[in-house]
Amino acid sequence: MGAAAEMLGVTAAFLRALGAAKLIEPRRSSGGHRRYSRYQLRLAARARELVDQGTPVEAACRIIILEDQLAEALRINEARARQAGP
């Protein structure tokens, strides 16, 4: 967790808050250390951007979840449109 926090320029408490808000749920190593994926680190970086702009952590997490859901819906719609053809 410390390495991820340092990489993002945030505190470990910030990363724990993102976990509490269900934005990211890191895997655990055999020693119990939190392991973040690149995707989770991107989400955490986006959360930091929003929080730095004055958005509360809980709201930032909700925004990011909705952004992610919208992006996925757009990908699905584009794939269906390609399958349907002209």
Side-chain angles (χ1 to χ4, degrees):
M1 175 181 273
E6 185 177 323
M7 186 185 328
L8 296 170
V10 299
T11 63
F14 180 79
L15 291 177
R16 282 192 293 275
L18 298 182
K22 304 289 188 222
L23 179 64
I24 56 176
E25 294 185 34
R27 295 194 181 254
R28 297 281 184 155
S29 70
S30 58
H33 299 284
R34 290 176 178 88
R35 300 289 184 201
Y36 297 94
S37 68
R38 287 185 180 106
Y39 175 71
Q40 290 171 331
L41 292 174
R42 282 195 304 273
L43 293 179
R46 176 70 176 126
R48 180 178 181 224
E49 289 173 10
L50 290 171
V51 169
D52 286 350
Q53 294 171 7
T55 306
V57 171
E58 290 282 335
C61 291
R62 185 67 182 137
I63 288 167
I64 294 164
I65 290 167
L66 290 170
E67 287 174 342
D68 198 49
Q69 289 172 343
L70 175 60
E72 180 63 17
L74 291 172
R75 279 191 295 273
I76 290 168
N77 285 341
E78 288 173 9
R80 287 182 180 164
R82 282 193 301 274
Q83 288 176 349

